[in-house]
Amino acid sequence: MRFLYSFLVATLLAGCAAAPIRLSPLPEKYADIAAIPGVPGARHWGDSAPPTIEEWGSLDRAALAKRVPGIMDRPHHYLALSGGGPNGAFGAGVLVGWTVHGTRPEFTMVTGVSTGALIAPFAFLGPKYDATLRKLYTEMSTSDILERRSLLDIVRNDSIASSAPLLRLIARYVDDQVIAELAEQHRRGRKLVIGTTNLDADRPVSWNLTRIAASGSPQAKALIHRVLLASASIPGVFPPVMFEVDADGRRFDEMHVDGGVTAQVIVYPGGLDWREVGRALNVIGKPKLYLINNSHTTGIWQEMDQRIVPILLRTIDALIRTQGNGDIAQIFLLSQRDGIDFNLAYIPRTFTEQPNEQFDPVYMRKLFELGFEMAKQGYPWVTQWQKR
């Protein structure tokens, strides 16, 4: 994908770069106890069971019903949104078309990674934010997302572009009203979970944005903005996002980057038995998982130039796509193990358009309309995983 060209340039320049010096990186011995100041339970390791699930196990039925009234004794629908950069326009289009079709449910839990993280708050809060999704994924362009640095700035920094425009965009749309609505949904028990990668630990991290919103911390809104930014911060293209943490009475920092580095799409870790969760919450019927993969699942034929940049670009595209396929395959197997109805959407092979810039609004409008039209007519969800 062309937006990864910046990543390659950064890689080539890495040998001469003088990156900023970190003053207080978190030591490994504190990795499991470090916490976000003032926001307990803000996040957990993405490859381990959430602490909230363990809390539920200690509650009797009446106490649990009081804790999570909006997700107990009712059907469950889960939505997982993958990474994909500008291809997130497809997922946004599917959601808006799904609303028009009239069958889009309220999601018990929404998860998002990278561009999927940027879609996730609006998908979670429902169809009244469809106009926001349409605007974001049909009107924004590269200049709305990043600010390129000069060559001199690149060699003195940790990325080839500034993510300040993206942070401003996030702050504009994830406003006080959105934060208040996320907090209210936390009180019902619904969850919005965003994935980042802790680069020090080389592990995925899952952030509970609904819990953060409801924490009462004066830093909650800014923290949510930074989590969304981190989830979409492609290493080398954007700077990593630093989070201040407390451990053993001292302050340190953690370095986080794009969640797609460790997982292109997330639902829940394999070590968690979701059947037990369903029994505890008395879920009505079979839970349904909808996974929107903002990518093709197979390679598209392209005659290659015998030059280093096109070869590297093509290789990175293939690595990301196959990593995503592996994540989907694992999620499919978990859904079969745990009795969850699996439903997959992905960009069809017939869509062969190519963007003319990193975030090309013409390209994204076409992809949005494709997803919209497919879903408006009743999306043909794939229920058995295989590459297509």
Side-chain angles (χ1 to χ4, degrees), residues 10 149 153-154 157-162 234 236-240:
R149 304 187 196 273
D153 283 338
I154 290 173
N157 270 286
D158 50 7
S159 65
I160 70 152
S162 165
I234 305 164
V237 179
F238 293 132

Side-chain angles (χ1 to χ4, degrees), residues 90-262:
F90 174 75
V94 168
L95 286 162
V96 177
W98 197 353
T99 299
V100 174
H101 186 257
T103 57
R104 179 175 158 188
E106 178 183 80
F107 300 111
T108 311
M109 177 176 68
V110 174
T111 66
V113 172
S114 197
T115 195
L118 303 181
I119 298 170
F122 311 111
F124 179 78
L125 293 175
K128 70 177 181 178
Y129 285 98
D130 283 359
T132 299
L133 283 175
R134 182 184 287 274
K135 184 176 182 64
L136 283 172
Y137 280 92
T138 63
E139 297 183 17
M140 70 176 175
S141 62
T142 306
S143 62
D144 297 310
I145 302 298
L146 58 85
E147 184 178 285
R148 293 184 177 89
R149 304 187 196 273
S150 69
L151 182 60
L152 182 60
D153 283 338
I154 290 173
V155 299
R156 294 186 301 194
N157 270 286
D158 50 7
S159 65
I160 70 152
S162 165
S163 57
L166 178 56
L167 182 58
R168 288 194 294 268
L169 193 71
I170 291 168
R172 176 182 175 187
Y173 287 101
V174 183
D175 56 14
D176 289 336
Q177 179 63 32
V178 168
I179 301 299
E181 291 181 27
L182 292 178
E184 175 59 29
Q185 295 310 310
H186 172 75
R187 288 185 278 273
R188 293 182 60 212
R190 296 176 65 216
K191 292 186 181 300
L192 172 60
V193 179
I194 299 302
T196 66
T197 297
N198 181 321
L199 209 54
D200 294 310
D202 192 22
R203 288 179 71 182
V205 175
S206 292
W207 298 77
N208 187 335
L209 263 58
T210 35
R211 187 164 190 160
I212 295 171
S215 68
S217 168
Q219 302 303 317
K221 182 169 73 169
L223 176 59
I224 286 172
H225 293 167
R226 288 174 61 77
V227 170
L228 293 170
L229 179 66
S231 187
S233 290
I234 305 164
V237 179
F238 293 132
V241 177
M242 311 303 291
F243 290 94
E244 188 177 72
V245 296
D246 279 339
D248 195 28
R250 300 166 60 191
R251 290 287 173 96
F252 300 97
D253 64 59
E254 294 178 348
M255 180 183 291
H256 288 245
V257 297
D258 195 314
V261 170
T262 44

